[in-house]
Amino acid sequence: MSESVVLDPVDLQLLRLLQNDARITYRDLAAQVGVAPSTCLDRVTRLRRCGVILGHRLQLDPAKLGRGLQALLSVQVRPHRRELVGPFVERVRALPEARSVFHLTGPDDYLVHVAVADMADLQRLVLDEFTAHREVARVETRLIFQQWECGPLLPPGHADS
């Protein structure tokens, strides 16, 4: 686990604004927070360097790209040993169908969110990319009917909170 970073009220306000509009200009961001643009740039650069800001992503609609069927794959890996974890995760992350991978506690070792074209594509993915590997003991598939994004990590608030 990574350690927390100490953030002051200006940092928190910058993050609140950026999480809702990552394309805001530094000039507009600085004006809304009440600091000079150079100060704003320095603070955002520090937040990136400290790992608080992880990046900026373009969000795509899988259905409009021909991948209208999404599923969650619960995967058991046996034996569940350290030397298998890294290669398994990297192999899954390299799959164009994979949206996210979670390493879990409990009966399943991984939860993999995938987006595929149709049921035949999902079957191909499970059989060729998961169960074809000796260490994969079990795959359980759950179809996703609908998905909603959740709110921002930092709730709206004043700069002093």
Side-chain angles (χ1 to χ4, degrees):
M1 289 276 171
S2 59
E3 292 185 26
S4 294
V5 175
V6 177
L7 304 171
D8 68 16
V10 173
D11 292 331
L12 290 171
Q13 187 61 18
L14 288 169
L15 293 170
R16 280 187 183 94
L17 293 167
L18 284 168
Q19 75 182 354
N20 292 311
D21 181 7
R23 297 184 323 166
I24 189 171
T25 67
Y26 285 113
R27 181 177 308 163
D28 291 342
L29 188 59
Q32 289 187 44
V33 175
V35 298
S38 60
T39 301
C40 180
L41 176 61
D42 289 345
R43 282 178 173 260
V44 172
T45 300
R46 181 182 58 81
L47 292 167
R48 279 194 188 104
R49 205 172 33 249
C50 292
V52 174
I53 297 174
L54 298 177
H56 306 281
R57 291 189 190 113
L58 180 67
Q59 194 169 359
L60 303 175
D61 183 342
K64 291 192 170 126
L65 296 172
R67 294 187 186 170
L69 182 64
Q70 294 187 59
L72 296 173
L73 307 180
S74 299
V75 182
Q76 272 187 355
V77 173
R78 295 294 178 259
H80 190 195
R81 293 194 317 244
R82 184 171 297 280
E83 62 268 15
L84 294 176
V85 169
F88 175 82
V89 170
E90 290 310 309
R91 188 173 64 247
V92 171
R93 289 184 69 210
L95 295 171
E97 299 88 353
R99 307 303 309 130
S100 54
V101 182
F102 302 90
H103 193 187
L104 308 172
T105 63
D108 297 315
D109 301 314
Y110 298 94
L111 184 65
V112 183
H113 177 195
V114 298
V116 295
D118 52 29
M119 289 298 284
D121 197 25
L122 180 60
Q123 181 182 27
R124 176 207 52 80
L125 181 70
V126 170
L127 294 176
D128 296 346
E129 302 296 342
F130 286 89
T131 60
H133 293 276
R134 185 178 320 211
E135 71 273 14
V136 175
R138 184 178 68 80
V139 176
E140 188 174 305
T141 304
R142 290 180 176 83
L143 298 180
I144 298 173
F145 290 137
Q146 197 166 2
Q147 177 181 354
W148 295 269
E149 293 296 323
C150 296
L153 184 59
L154 293 173
H158 301 291
D160 58 4
S161 55

